[in-house]
Each structure stands twice: as structure tokens, then as C-alpha cells.
Amino acid sequence: MPEPMPEPMPEPITTSMPALQTIYDWVRYATSRFADPENTPPLVFGQGCDNAFDEAHALVLGLLNLPFDLGVSYFQAQLTRAECEKIATAIEARIDAKMPVPYLTNRTLFMGLPFYVDERVLIPRSPIAELIAGDFAPYIDAPEDLRHILDLCCGSGCIGIACASQFPQAIVTVADISAPALAVAEKNIAMHQLAHQVLPQLSDGFDALPKGQYDLIIANPPYVDSETMANLPDEFLHEPAFALGSGEDGLDLTRRILQTAADYLTPNGCLIVEVGASWPLLEAAYPDVVFQWHEFMQGGEGVFVMTADELMAYRPMFCQ
């Protein structure tokens, strides 16, 4: 009787991925890839992180659903093959498609709080986080007395949700013209379990909002001018254009806010608006208006503060 044929040896597993096994390996590798001078064009940072090392951490930890402050001892943990493939694919998308890391992981931080983001909303990066964390000093005398706050042009809802976290006594309305953006805000409201305190509202500017109600209005409207819009880095083209640009000088919506905001504030209310690098254009548009620009300790520019009384006094200039 002939001897049985031996079982064939299994084919060796081959992969084009580097021989990387641990979290540490992948963070190191991603950092090197992101900083590679051979990337054409080179990567542009600034959508949550400002350097390759931090972006590598955000990408790897985000895709693994691990906290951003993960202890160092965990970085030697070995990853599964599926996890390695997922990270490798995302690294290529970041380099080749210039896809921002927060859209690859659907996760970012604002004022230390986690938020879900995708291409329906801007990636949170407003310096207003510093103002919220500081209780809006020195502009709000008694932050504990804030009762109604409006986050206008809310996008992901990060500013409004951060306000709700900082001021638990306040009811916060988050408003946006975009129904898809508002759906992302609602997802974040649910994630933070704030449905009892944060109210989403579809609205074109102030159109669907009640007058005379808000102690504080915070607006982060689109403010990028048309020339800058035409020359944005590839990374920023993944963000919704309507949330970035607003007319030739980027200030179309800001003008509308200035013209009508006083009607929606309480008598002692306050308006805070971000116009970023467009602040010289705003001053040029209203040369007789004195804008109070906040000086940030942690970086950022172009955020002004105006009281209800000041808005009323300047209204003739704003409505010309």
C-alpha cells in the first residue's frame, strides 16, 4: 500500500506593509512618512495638529480607539494584522489624498473634549476654546449668571458643547444653516449626553432664532476671502467650502451678524466673533468702528468682542 502524500506546506503570508508591530512602531513610521521631504506636495498641518509627530499620534491612537493621553507603557502593545492594515491605508490616504487626520479617524479634541467630525463640518481649531476655558474673562463679569448662550454657525457643535460643559447652568443653542452639519452636532450632543442642555436649531444666521434672549452669542462664521479660497492647500479642500468662504473679502456673513446681533442679545449681552486672518479687512470695512480684539496666550488671532450697547451705537455704520 503506497504511503500517503504529505500535506502541502502553506503558502507564506506576504504583505507590502513594513514589518511594524507595536503602537510605538506605527507612530514612529507615520511621523517619518508625514515629515518626508519627498512628499509632493509636502503635507500641510494645522487642522488639529501643527506638526508630523502630533499628527502621527492622533492618527494611530484615533484609529485604534485609544485615548490621546494613552500611557507610555501601552505603546509597546502589539497590533493585529487588521489594525496594521487599517493604519497603513490611512497613512497613504493622508499623504496621497491629503486627507486630514480628523476625517480619517472621525475624532478630534476641542478644549480637551472629544468630538466626532467628518467632511460635513469644519475640523475644530478655534482659539475661542481659550476664552471658554477662562470663563470669558474679562468680558463676562459673572459667568455663573449666564442663562442662554448661542453658538452661531456651530458646525460640529464644539463651541456650544464646550460652553455647556463649562457653564452647566446655561441653556445653549447651536445653530447652523447646514442640515448635514447640524446632524454632526446632534451626534456630538448625544455623545456628551447634553440633550437636556444643548438645543440644535437649523437657521440661516439669526432668521429662525428668538430675539432678545441670549446673554452671550459666539459666532465662528465663514471668513476666508476669495483669493485665499482659490489658493487653499489640498488638505483644506476636504472641508466644506461654504463653511470657509463668505464673499469677496470673506465678511458677507459677518456683516449680517453685526447688523442684527443686538436684536438677539439681552440688554447686558455680549457678542464674540471670530474672523481670523481677515481682521484687517474688517477694520478696513468699518474704519470708524473700534473693535476690541482679544489677545490669546496660546496662539490665535482675529476674535473681537462687542457689547449689546456698542452694537446699537455702531448700528448706523454697520447698516450703511
Side-chain angles (χ1 to χ4, degrees):
M1 183 175 181
E3 293 185 4
M5 296 291 292
E7 291 289 331
M9 294 292 291
E11 291 291 326
I13 296 173
T14 60
T15 177
S16 59
M17 290 192 309
L20 306 172
Q21 298 180 334
T22 66
I23 296 173
Y24 179 89
D25 289 339
W26 280 100
V27 169
R28 198 285 308 160
Y29 175 71
T31 301
S32 298
R33 291 293 309 279
F34 293 165
D36 190 341
E38 297 299 317
N39 292 330
T40 306
L43 299 190
V44 172
F45 306 109
Q47 292 165 297
C49 299
D50 61 7
N51 62 81
F53 182 68
D54 288 343
E55 279 225 341
H57 274 82
L59 179 72
V60 174
L61 296 178
L63 290 174
L64 295 175
N65 299 312
L66 294 171
F68 289 125
D69 58 353
L70 184 72
V72 175
S73 60
Y74 288 94
F75 277 71
Q76 294 303 324
Q78 293 198 344
L79 306 185
T80 68
R81 180 171 185 163
E83 289 171 333
C84 291
E85 290 174 346
K86 186 177 184 179
I87 295 170
T89 299
I91 289 172
E92 299 310 313
R94 178 68 185 94
I95 294 169
D96 296 338
K98 301 299 185 287
M99 180 67 73
V101 165
Y103 290 158
L104 291 167
T105 62
N106 298 125
R107 189 174 77 164
T108 193
L109 292 177
F110 181 78
M111 212 183 83
L113 300 171
F115 288 91
Y116 172 91
V117 292
D118 60 32
E119 290 176 87
R120 292 173 289 179
V121 297
L122 292 183
I123 296 165
R125 50 184 175 270
S126 172
I128 290 174
E130 183 179 319
L131 271 169
I132 301 170
D135 290 341
F136 294 106
Y139 312 109
I140 302 295
D141 292 330
E144 66 277 5
D145 291 338
L146 289 171
R147 290 294 177 265
H148 292 91
I149 298 173
L150 171 63
D151 173 10
L152 191 63
C153 309
C154 70
S156 65
C158 61
I159 288 175
I161 290 170
C163 284
S165 175
Q166 189 76 1
F167 310 107
Q169 81 283 356
I171 297 298
V172 181
T173 299
V174 294
D176 204 285
I177 191 175
S178 167
L182 211 60
V184 175
E186 290 171 342
K187 185 179 183 73
N188 283 315
I189 292 167
M191 182 175 73
H192 287 277
Q193 300 181 342
L194 288 171
H196 63 288
Q197 188 185 0
V198 182
L199 312 177
Q201 175 64 57
L202 189 67
S203 182
D204 181 358
F206 292 110
D207 290 354
L209 300 170
K211 291 186 176 181
Q213 176 169 308
Y214 303 105
D215 302 309
L216 176 63
I217 296 173
I218 309 163
N220 185 10
Y223 55 71
V224 181
D225 64 87
S226 59
E227 181 179 355
T228 303
M229 284 292 295
N231 294 281
L232 286 174
D234 291 343
E235 282 84 350
F236 293 85
L237 299 180
H238 291 281
E239 297 190 280
F242 74 87
L244 289 169
S246 185
E248 185 68 21
D249 62 0
L251 299 173
D252 284 2
L253 184 51
T254 300
R255 288 186 177 88
R256 288 177 54 197
I257 292 170
L258 289 171
Q259 289 164 6
T260 58
D263 296 334
Y264 295 86
L265 286 167
T266 56
N268 295 317
C270 183
L271 171 71
I272 297 176
V273 180
E274 178 176 348
V275 295
S278 292
W279 68 265
L281 297 174
L282 185 64
E283 290 200 328
Y286 301 106
D288 296 323
V289 174
V290 178
F291 289 96
Q292 183 174 6
W293 300 101
H294 183 74
E295 295 186 10
F296 291 96
M297 301 295 293
Q298 300 172 17
E301 63 174 351
V303 174
F304 70 84
V305 183
M306 197 165 284
T307 66
D309 286 343
E310 289 170 331
L311 286 164
M312 288 299 295
Y314 287 130
R315 176 172 274 181
M317 300 176 193
F318 294 145
C319 293
Q320 287 178 352

